[in-house]
């Protein structure tokens, strides 16, 4: 298979590339990302330079470069990880950037796949498109789309376009909506897990998140990669798959687990986090469909995955400290 992975230099895309490269050595993988890539980036150092791996620096909104790349490598399938993420816009004020990449970029990829008869298109989406739940229940693939933030709204808009290209043009598409991911190479320190780990390691007070008591469904990034692999190979045309781990944790629980693993004092937890008040939003996905139809299940328990992630940050201390200094 010849795969075009967009956004493959980021956290989730790079882990997916490593997963596919290790299991399907005969596949051609083209990593199309806005950022320049080099063999120095540890994320992809073991694939860089391999004859089946190619890096293209480009924008998914650039129609001619996307089409040239698909033609040049005779691409069979596109997996779209490229996005401006919530952390990438920080203040939420820049909705235009979100819409440009997340919506118009996806539309450009879909048009290119349609024009060049690419066999499969997988859209990497988020459970955030469903909005938030009360105390009980789970989002299924049939839940209404009710995004709460401009980022989630841009992802929901992209999902609707993807669906429409299947209904209107018969493009073989799938949408993979996932829980919150964590794991190695997550340098984005606006996300809770890397933020908690790097603060605790430096004996700094953990940040007081306005959503400290929110409940998220957590999934290890390699379990996400295995789920996307199942969808890519065997997903039924036009279907949406929720990828979750039945791993509900409040941010507070995640912080306490990390503090415990690092044997730090609970005094590092900010005041708001120590409050036990029930006041939160829940985001939890039901992954029964992908489990029953594609035979996927996660391999990590949350405790195992976080322990491994803490260990990874310990071993890569110099790298993330250097990145923090550059900010
Ligand atoms: N992080 C999570 O917990 C999570 C959960 C669910 C879904 N997702 C989705 O997974 C995908 C990847 O997220 P991530 O956490 O790895 O983010 P990331 O920011 O680490 O990676 C995104 C990548 O996309 C690239 N990119 C951005 N704009 C581009 C453009 N115009 N053209 C080409 N490349 C572009 C960036 O350079 C970056 O390498 C996103 O679509 C996101 O919505 C993330």
């Amino acid at each position: 298979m010849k795969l075009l992975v967009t956004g493959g230099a980021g956290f989730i895309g790079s882990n997916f590339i490593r997963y596919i490269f290790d299991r399907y050595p005969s596949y051609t993988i083209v990593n199309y990302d806005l950022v320049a890539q080099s063999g120095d980036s540890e994320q992809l150092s073991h694939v860089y330079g391999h004859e089946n791996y190619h890096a293209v620096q480009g924008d998914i909104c650039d129609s001619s470069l996307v089409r040239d790349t698909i033609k040049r490598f005779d691409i069979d399938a596109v997996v779209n990880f490229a996005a401006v993420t919530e952390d990438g816009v920080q203040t939420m004020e820049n909705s235009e950037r979100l819409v440009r990449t997340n919506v118009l970029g996806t539309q450009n990829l879909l048009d290119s796949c349609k024009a060049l008869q690419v066999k499969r298109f997988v859209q990497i989406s988020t459970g955030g498109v469903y909005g938030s739940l009360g105390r009980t229940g789970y989002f299924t693939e049939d839940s209404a789309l009710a995004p709460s933030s401009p980022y989630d709204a841009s992802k929901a808009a992209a999902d609707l376009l993807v669906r429409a290209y299947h209904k209107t043009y018969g493009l073989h598409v799938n949408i993979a909506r996932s829980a919150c991911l964590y794991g190695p190479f997550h340098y984005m320190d606006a996300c809770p897990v890397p933020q908690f780990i790097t603060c605790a390691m430096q004996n700094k007070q953990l940040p007081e998140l306005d959503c400290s008591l929110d409940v998220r469904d957590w999934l290890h990034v390699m379990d996400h990669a295995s789920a996307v692999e199942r969808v890519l190979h065997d997903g039924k045309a036009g279907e949406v798959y929720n990828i979750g781990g039945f791993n509900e944790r409040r941010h507070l629980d995640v912080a306490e687990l990390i503090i415990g693993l690092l044997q730090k004092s609970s005094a590092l937890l900010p005041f708001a986090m120590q409050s036990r008040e029930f006041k939160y939003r829940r985001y939890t996905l039901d992954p029964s469909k992908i489990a029953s139809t594609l035979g996927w299940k996660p391999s990590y328990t949350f405790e195992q995955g976080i322990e491994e992630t803490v260990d990874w940050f310990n071993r890569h201390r110099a790298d993330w400290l250097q990145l923090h200094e550059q900010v």
Side-chain angles (χ1 to χ4, degrees), residues 32 56-59 62-70 72:
Y32 185 105
V56 174
Q57 184 179 7
D59 188 335
D62 181 341
S63 168
S64 46
L65 186 59
V66 166
R67 287 178 193 220
D68 285 352
T69 307
I70 291 175
R72 182 172 147 215

Short mmCIF file of all heavy atoms in Angstrom, two decimals, residues 32 56-59 62-70 72:
data_model
loop_
_atom_site.label_atom_id
_atom_site.label_comp_id
_atom_site.label_asym_id
_atom_site.label_seq_id
_atom_site.Cartn_x
_atom_site.Cartn_y
_atom_site.Cartn_z
N TYR A 32 3.40 14.11 4.74
CA TYR A 32 3.17 15.45 4.17
C TYR A 32 2.83 16.38 5.32
O TYR A 32 1.76 16.25 5.94
CB TYR A 32 2.01 15.34 3.18
CG TYR A 32 1.69 16.58 2.39
CD1 TYR A 32 2.05 16.69 1.05
CD2 TYR A 32 0.98 17.63 2.96
CE1 TYR A 32 1.73 17.82 0.31
CE2 TYR A 32 0.67 18.77 2.23
CZ TYR A 32 1.05 18.86 0.90
OH TYR A 32 0.72 19.98 0.17
N VAL A 56 7.51 15.17 2.65
CA VAL A 56 7.20 16.30 1.76
C VAL A 56 6.77 17.46 2.65
O VAL A 56 5.87 17.30 3.49
CB VAL A 56 6.05 15.95 0.78
CG1 VAL A 56 5.64 17.17 -0.03
CG2 VAL A 56 6.45 14.79 -0.13
N GLN A 57 7.42 18.61 2.48
CA GLN A 57 7.00 19.78 3.25
C GLN A 57 5.93 20.52 2.46
O GLN A 57 6.19 20.97 1.33
CB GLN A 57 8.19 20.69 3.53
CG GLN A 57 7.79 21.86 4.43
CD GLN A 57 8.93 22.78 4.76
OE1 GLN A 57 10.03 22.65 4.23
NE2 GLN A 57 8.68 23.74 5.63
N GLY A 58 4.75 20.64 3.03
CA GLY A 58 3.69 21.33 2.28
C GLY A 58 2.45 21.54 3.11
O GLY A 58 2.29 20.97 4.20
N ASP A 59 1.58 22.35 2.55
CA ASP A 59 0.33 22.74 3.20
C ASP A 59 -0.80 21.89 2.60
O ASP A 59 -0.86 21.76 1.36
CB ASP A 59 0.12 24.24 2.90
CG ASP A 59 -1.04 24.84 3.66
OD1 ASP A 59 -1.96 24.10 4.04
OD2 ASP A 59 -1.00 26.07 3.84
N ASP A 62 -2.70 23.47 -0.21
CA ASP A 62 -2.02 23.71 -1.49
C ASP A 62 -2.43 22.61 -2.48
O ASP A 62 -1.87 21.51 -2.51
CB ASP A 62 -0.50 23.71 -1.25
CG ASP A 62 0.30 23.97 -2.51
OD1 ASP A 62 -0.25 23.80 -3.62
OD2 ASP A 62 1.48 24.31 -2.38
N SER A 63 -3.42 22.97 -3.29
CA SER A 63 -4.02 21.97 -4.17
C SER A 63 -3.01 21.35 -5.14
O SER A 63 -2.98 20.12 -5.33
CB SER A 63 -5.16 22.64 -4.92
OG SER A 63 -5.59 21.86 -5.95
N SER A 64 -2.15 22.19 -5.75
CA SER A 64 -1.26 21.59 -6.75
C SER A 64 -0.20 20.69 -6.10
O SER A 64 0.11 19.62 -6.63
CB SER A 64 -0.63 22.62 -7.69
OG SER A 64 -0.16 23.68 -6.97
N LEU A 65 0.30 21.08 -4.92
CA LEU A 65 1.31 20.21 -4.29
C LEU A 65 0.68 18.90 -3.80
O LEU A 65 1.27 17.82 -3.94
CB LEU A 65 2.01 20.94 -3.13
CG LEU A 65 3.16 20.16 -2.50
CD1 LEU A 65 4.26 19.83 -3.52
CD2 LEU A 65 3.78 20.92 -1.32
N VAL A 66 -0.54 18.99 -3.26
CA VAL A 66 -1.21 17.76 -2.81
C VAL A 66 -1.39 16.82 -4.00
O VAL A 66 -1.06 15.63 -3.95
CB VAL A 66 -2.57 18.08 -2.13
CG1 VAL A 66 -3.41 16.82 -1.97
CG2 VAL A 66 -2.36 18.75 -0.77
N ARG A 67 -1.87 17.37 -5.12
CA ARG A 67 -2.14 16.51 -6.28
C ARG A 67 -0.84 15.96 -6.87
O ARG A 67 -0.77 14.77 -7.24
CB ARG A 67 -2.94 17.27 -7.34
CG ARG A 67 -4.37 17.45 -6.86
CD ARG A 67 -5.23 18.23 -7.81
NE ARG A 67 -6.46 18.61 -7.11
CZ ARG A 67 -7.66 18.60 -7.64
NH1 ARG A 67 -7.83 18.27 -8.90
NH2 ARG A 67 -8.72 18.95 -6.93
N ASP A 68 0.17 16.81 -6.95
CA ASP A 68 1.47 16.33 -7.47
C ASP A 68 2.00 15.19 -6.61
O ASP A 68 2.54 14.21 -7.12
CB ASP A 68 2.51 17.46 -7.45
CG ASP A 68 2.27 18.45 -8.57
OD1 ASP A 68 1.40 18.17 -9.43
OD2 ASP A 68 2.92 19.52 -8.57
N THR A 69 1.83 15.34 -5.29
CA THR A 69 2.35 14.31 -4.37
C THR A 69 1.58 13.00 -4.55
O THR A 69 2.19 11.92 -4.61
CB THR A 69 2.25 14.82 -2.90
OG1 THR A 69 2.89 16.09 -2.82
CG2 THR A 69 2.91 13.86 -1.94
N ILE A 70 0.27 13.11 -4.66
CA ILE A 70 -0.53 11.88 -4.86
C ILE A 70 -0.12 11.18 -6.16
O ILE A 70 0.06 9.96 -6.21
CB ILE A 70 -2.05 12.21 -4.85
CG1 ILE A 70 -2.48 12.64 -3.44
CG2 ILE A 70 -2.88 11.02 -5.33
CD1 ILE A 70 -3.93 13.12 -3.32
N ARG A 72 2.78 11.62 -7.88
CA ARG A 72 4.20 11.21 -7.87
C ARG A 72 4.40 9.88 -7.16
O ARG A 72 5.18 9.04 -7.60
CB ARG A 72 4.99 12.32 -7.16
CG ARG A 72 6.47 12.09 -7.09
CD ARG A 72 7.18 13.34 -6.54
NE ARG A 72 8.33 12.98 -5.77
CZ ARG A 72 8.76 13.62 -4.70
NH1 ARG A 72 8.12 14.67 -4.25
NH2 ARG A 72 9.83 13.21 -4.08
#
